[in-house]
Amino acid sequence: MRTTLAVAPMMDWTDRHCRFFHRQLTRRALLYTEMVVADAVIHGARERLLGFDDVEHPVALQLGGSDPQRLAEAAVIGEAFGYDEINLNVGCPSDRVQSGTFGACLMKTPVLVAECVAAMKVAVKIPVTVKCRIGVDDQDPETALDALADGVLAAGADALWVHARKAWLEGLSPKENRDVPPLDYPRVYRLKARKPNEFIGINGGIQSLDEVSEHLGHVDGAMLGRAAYHTPSVLAGIDTAFYGEPPTAFDYAALVDAMAAYAARHIEKGGRLGHVTRHMVGLFHGLPGTRRYRQILSTDATKPGAGPEVLKTAFAAIDFATADAEAA
């Protein structure tokens, strides 16, 4: 059974600029798009919704929807764009998702989810996976998660990622749903024990690579969400810790060159520097110059006409000698 480390799909965060940045920090972790609604993939501006840089591989497209045939059609489009995996969202609790009868509310209809997976599996050759919660509202997580897992795995799902919290569709906001329902990691471990030959990954509240290691004693994969976004330097240790690559001091000069060149290409296409740099604000913590770095990215980089030189100025504020010493 393979081990996979991944950066979770996060609405409004894991766009193509975020993923390009994260790929500079880890060559091996699996990256996920934000959730894209199947109907939007079929009828919308596909390049804007689905376009990505080749460097992002391995990268998975997360779809939202509940109609098997539309999901299959969207999966075919995603495969043609070059994605390495199609993932079905059965975990998002937002109002937008509930009104469309997909996301976490699909935990209530495991048979339909299995039909969606089966349709996508027939339509594409790349892996089809599912990301879910342990249950919603008053569901018993013991029976709800088993029903969902049994259905989608029997339908051919290549992996099941489980956010180890319930989703409360009534009474909690999407933000509160990320923190208020208690984490129940042992529930996910029990699912893996019951499904020893299937890939079961875990997500929810994982803060460090040490915690990742603990989870991998029980499941096949771990997914970093907000920790990867707010403290992206955590990603720089993944390839050595979990993929056997030799330890090396991180090359910050190469990182700033890559991001500046990427930002320049984005600006040439009509974009703004802030679209790229908003994902980079949390890169440094506790190093001399961190406050100035954040100030530049939060103010100067967001101004109209700001160019890649602003990003280089921000990096120049950091004492990289100290960073290299800490990383060694």
Side-chain angles (χ1 to χ4, degrees):
M1 187 69 69
R2 72 190 189 277
T3 294
T4 298
L5 273 292
V7 177
M10 292 175 281
M11 293 292 290
D12 301 321
W13 287 1
T14 51
D15 62 16
R16 62 187 301 173
H17 311 306
C18 177
R19 298 192 306 269
F20 184 92
F21 169 50
H22 285 173
R23 183 56 74 215
Q24 310 311 307
L25 300 169
T26 168
R27 292 175 49 248
R28 305 293 292 275
L30 176 60
L31 304 180
Y32 280 82
T33 69
E34 305 169 87
M35 183 190 68
V36 186
V37 177
D39 281 352
V41 171
I42 296 167
H43 302 295
R46 292 179 185 173
E47 177 58 35
R48 178 179 61 81
L49 291 168
L50 301 182
F52 66 95
D53 193 289
D54 282 345
V55 78
E56 294 175 39
H57 290 292
V59 58
L61 169 63
Q62 187 182 66
L63 294 176
S66 58
D67 182 286
Q69 294 313 309
R70 290 179 182 175
L71 282 165
E73 185 176 351
V76 168
I77 294 167
E79 182 179 45
F81 259 79
Y83 283 97
D84 300 295
E85 171 188 315
I86 303 296
N87 178 266
L88 177 61
N89 183 316
V90 189
C92 181
S94 76
D95 293 338
R96 285 186 285 176
V97 169
Q98 290 185 60
S99 64
T101 320
F102 50 91
C105 62
L106 288 175
M107 292 294 300
K108 298 177 179 179
T109 56
V111 173
L112 175 59
V113 179
E115 291 172 356
C116 293
V117 169
M120 290 188 287
K121 284 292 293 182
V122 169
V124 300
K125 296 181 175 63
I126 57 176
V128 173
T129 67
V130 174
K131 187 169 185 288
C132 68
R133 294 281 185 132
I134 61 173
V136 295
D137 298 335
D138 293 323
Q139 284 185 325
D140 178 355
E142 295 301 323
T143 55
L145 182 57
D146 279 353
L148 191 286
D150 289 348
V152 300
L153 294 171
D158 296 281
L160 179 63
W161 290 97
V162 185
H163 185 156
R165 304 179 197 270
K166 271 190 172 184
W168 286 94
L169 304 179
E170 299 291 337
L172 291 181
S173 69
K175 182 176 185 297
E176 289 169 328
N177 261 292
R178 295 194 293 266
D179 295 297
V180 175
L183 286 160
D184 189 355
Y185 297 135
R187 176 64 191 95
V188 187
Y189 301 164
R190 292 194 295 277
L191 175 64
K192 175 58 191 175
R194 200 172 68 84
K195 298 284 188 182
N197 298 319
E198 306 284 1
F199 183 100
I200 306 296
I202 198 165
N203 168 232
I206 303 172
Q207 298 296 317
S208 69
L209 298 189
D210 286 342
E211 292 180 25
V212 167
S213 295
E214 292 178 14
H215 288 302
L216 291 180
H218 303 276
V219 294
D220 305 300
M223 193 177 261
L224 293 164
R226 282 171 290 166
Y229 191 85
H230 293 305
T231 55
S233 59
V234 69
L235 300 177
I238 284 176
D239 296 352
T240 296
F242 302 104
Y243 292 97
E245 299 202 358
T248 56
F250 190 79
D251 190 342
Y252 288 98
L255 173 63
V256 66
D257 287 345
M259 294 309 301
Y262 176 83
R265 295 193 297 272
H266 177 59
I267 292 167
E268 286 173 5
K269 296 175 184 176
R272 296 180 61 169
L273 180 64
H275 297 159
V276 176
T277 57
R278 74 184 185 97
H279 304 295
M280 303 174 64
V281 175
L283 180 59
F284 300 108
H285 289 268
L287 294 174
T290 296
R291 179 178 294 181
R292 179 59 182 150
Y293 167 85
R294 292 177 180 170
Q295 182 182 46
I296 293 170
L297 292 192
S298 298
T299 57
D300 296 355
T302 64
K303 295 177 180 177
E309 69 281 353
V310 175
L311 179 56
K312 293 193 172 186
T313 299
F315 268 75
I318 299 293
D319 182 350
F320 285 106
T322 301
D324 290 340
E326 289 191 0

